[in-house]
Amino acid sequence: GAVVSQHPSRVICKSGTSVKIECRSLDFQATTMFWYRQFPKQSLMLMATSNEGSKATYEQGVEKDKFLINHASLTLSTLTVTSAHPEDSSFYICSAGKLGGVDYGYTFGSGTRLTVV
Amino acid sequence: AQSVTQLGSHVSVSEGALVLLRCNYSSSVPPYLFWYVQYPNQGLQLLLKYTSAATLVKGINGFEAEFKKSETSFHLTKPSAHMSDAAEYFCAVSSYNNNDMRFGAGTRLTVKP
């Protein structure tokens, strides 16, 4: 149990376009989902916390207008990188926690490698 | 604020040797501690977690970690390394509600034949 599916796994887009990344909890309901960004050979940096039905909470320094997060249901959160630029190229990972109880250690998606050219 | 420090960005061991990956934490509240493994271009897989129960925690793939409050440590060990253990390992800390999980910088484990 506790599977999180992230799609796409890889995406290449042109500078100035927008890209949407999906994070789905397949076999459980997730009230909270987290979005992380990981640069090569570095750790995960929390970008934002997404709660179902409410606005996401962004970490300091993360542009909320650039990284749009929508958590419309208990099984789906999306991250849209708007007007992407080469510096947005990175590995993006989501994680999700279960509804109705404390789940220590959230389940992670397999990540999305974004390349902006 | 909570944080973890992983000592050693790169650890290299021989196959069959002991694996020791170090993690020290800083937390103003009782911490929940985790070790994750990441293979190239993949997400994170939970190895084990400490949630204020037994201080010696056993995880998957033969890994275990011991919570030592006096040393603010949560080091990860495995008695005998396998080639398949080569990966990036992350230590993480959070408080009770998990909404503030913070990761260490990671340790890359290399296993030599």
Side-chain angles (χ1 to χ4, degrees), chain B residues 7-62:
Chain B
L7 303 177
S9 59
H10 188 196
V11 170
S12 181
V13 301
S14 297
E15 191 174 18
L18 170 72
V19 175
L20 171 61
L21 304 183
R22 300 177 186 274
C23 174
N24 288 88
Y25 70 90
S26 173
S27 178
S28 57
V29 297
Y32 294 92
L33 294 158
F34 311 85
W35 276 99
Y36 289 89
V37 60
Q38 184 182 35
Y39 296 98
N41 292 312
Q42 294 188 28
L44 274 66
Q45 180 183 9
L46 181 66
L47 282 176
L48 50 80
K49 57 193 178 190
Y50 166 77
T51 58
S52 75
T55 56
L56 181 62
V57 181
K58 293 185 183 299
I60 63 172
N61 302 340

Side-chain angles (χ1 to χ4, degrees), chain A residues 87-104:
Chain A
E87 57 265 30
D88 299 325
S89 299
S90 190
F91 193 58
Y92 293 88
I93 306 176
C94 70
S95 69
K98 292 181 180 178
L99 171 69
V102 182
D103 179 52
Y104 304 115

Side-chain angles (χ1 to χ4, degrees), chain A residues 66-86:
Chain A
K66 180 168 188 61
F67 298 99
L68 300 179
I69 292 173
N70 184 286
H71 193 163
S73 76
L74 286 171
T75 60
L76 174 64
S77 176
T78 60
L79 168 68
T80 301
V81 182
T82 63
S83 186
H85 288 91

Side-chain angles (χ1 to χ4, degrees), chain B residues 7 20-24 35 64-68 71-77:
Chain B
L7 303 177
L20 171 61
L21 304 183
R22 300 177 186 274
C23 174
N24 288 88
W35 276 99
E64 64 180 39
E66 185 172 7
F67 173 72
K68 292 186 177 181
E71 299 178 7
T72 62
S73 69
F74 189 60
H75 301 332
L76 181 71
T77 61

